[in-house]
Amino acid sequence: MIDLNNLILDNKTKNQTGSFNKSGNDKKVYIETYGCQMNYSDTEIVLSVLSKSGYNETTDINNADAILLNTCSIRENAEKKIFYRLDALKYFKRRNPNLVVGILGCMAERLRKDLIENKKIVDIIVGPDEYRKVPELIDKVFETGEKGIAVKLSKVETYDDIVPVRREGVSAWITIMRGCDKFCTYCVVPFTRGRERSRKLSSIVDEAKRLYDEGVKDIWLLGQNVNSYRYDNYDFSDLLKTVAIAVPEMRVRYTTSHPYDLNMKLLETMAEYDNICKYIHLPIQSGSDRILKLMNREYSVEDYMKVMLKAREMMPDVGLSTDIISGFPTETEEDHQMTLNVIKEVMYDYAYMFTYSRRPNTKAFRMEDDIPNETKTRRLDEIIELQREMSYESHKKLIGKKIKVLLETVSKKSENNLMGRTDCNKSVIIPAISKNSYVDNSGDLISGKEYNIGDYVNVKINKCNSATLFGETEE
Ligand code: 5AD
Ligand code: SF4
């Protein structure tokens, strides 16, 4: 599951620009999103549901009538962050006693009544399958002061009929399935997000086409476990192929996948269609078969390596990334070495790396969390350092090469540069104007070419570090 930056992104959704229905309600809602891309995608659903009830989104917390935190439970630290944030929100509640504060997402599901009973500041608690109820619960607090909880998990809810309120930008997410049935022994997701269920294939394809018409250039098919997608007789490969054909000008990506469900059919489909990005995020978690067994991962290192080798054989430029947990109960130095060996052998382009966090309700919770924190952290540091070397090596190989890049944003470090991504998901920084451009004293471009977000450009890579490639166009 990516913290699809995992892709665990810890940003707030401050750049969200929803188009809200403004009729009948002058209340403003501010949402902060934590955790994985699924949460970011869910926030777009919540914004859509709210807009139907006339709520307006605000990106200014000082203006908000309701503040919602869309939360993550995956590790203890993710939850701690929310508790700190709730403490900080007391200031806003003191200033405006009518302010509604809500907890959405995995923490709502996991902690339920505890949160409402023990955190006085919290007014509403809404789990991932009950987002349709967010407006009525907020209304009720405004009208009667009554706090509300909605945390039932559903076997069928996919929010298939809801058109998410999108962020601006060239990329968009389409959630294709929800929940997880894998029950890895360390993971809370099956408990916080419930059973797997997939959206209708035709509605996913319609959404992709609509996004294309709206100017989106890059879509991510999202799910806790996308490759266990199943709708009628269609599997994930069928869906990916159908989407790729329906929007041939769009880049199509997916995340996150489980090695157990990654089959030849999927690799063949990826190799066949130019617009399916050659990028696979395939969490290995550990390089030791003994630990994988304890984690209930249902594959061996050998099985995993076979998939990776096959992927590289069929798509030589494929980008590979993974998730790794260090310090799972009973992990020995030998187990840890095996993880380091896999990192060396696969030479991942990127990895999301974590120390093990013991989560209530999970099977591993019953195991003794016997690896001291210093050992977990030291092993994690070794993993991070090795992965940094691997990323650098994989980047160095691209120096001197020409690569097609889709420009996504202005560079964080300089507004004279743009950041784009390669098909295999590497970040590339280029100057916003072409090499031989001439700009006069007032900053006007007299000759040469200026690039825009959303452009595809051919970039010659001339420099790199372990995180980023740098290059220039040759126009
Ligand atoms: N402790 C540490 N990392 C975890 N992950 C999931 N649960 C835990 C946990 N209890 C990691 C896994 C997963 C990623 C999204 O988060 O690596 O793939
Ligand atoms: Fe991913 Fe396993 Fe958690 Fe499911 S249970 S979300 S497969 S880590």
Side-chain angles (χ1 to χ4, degrees), residues 2 27 44 51 67 79 82 89 127 149 152 160 164 227 249 281 295 306 315 341 343 398 428 430 449 452 454 464:
I2 230 176
K27 297 273 195 279
E44 297 181 341
S51 80
I67 299 174
E79 293 193 344
I82 298 298
L89 292 184
I149 305 185
K152 248 202 220 128
D160 203 36
N227 49 351
E249 306 288 318
H281 178 75
M295 289 176 162
K306 273 191 200 147
M315 299 169 276
N341 289 342
I343 296 174
L398 295 175
V428 184
I430 65 157
K449 197 161 182 330
N452 296 305
C464 72

Side-chain angles (χ1 to χ4, degrees), residues 1 180 182-184 186-187 189-190 224-225 258 297:
M1 181 175 54
C180 181
K182 288 284 187 282
F183 287 93
C184 302
Y186 50 80
C187 186
V189 168
Q224 238 73 46
N225 223 325
H258 191 292
R297 289 291 290 178

Side-chain angles (χ1 to χ4, degrees), residues 30 78 84 90 116 135 197 205 227 246 252 376 413 422 450:
Y30 174 90
Y84 289 134
K90 283 181 188 155
I116 277 207
R197 66 223 98 120
V205 173
N227 49 351
V252 184
K376 281 183 188 167
K413 295 201 176 139
T422 67
E450 188 173 15

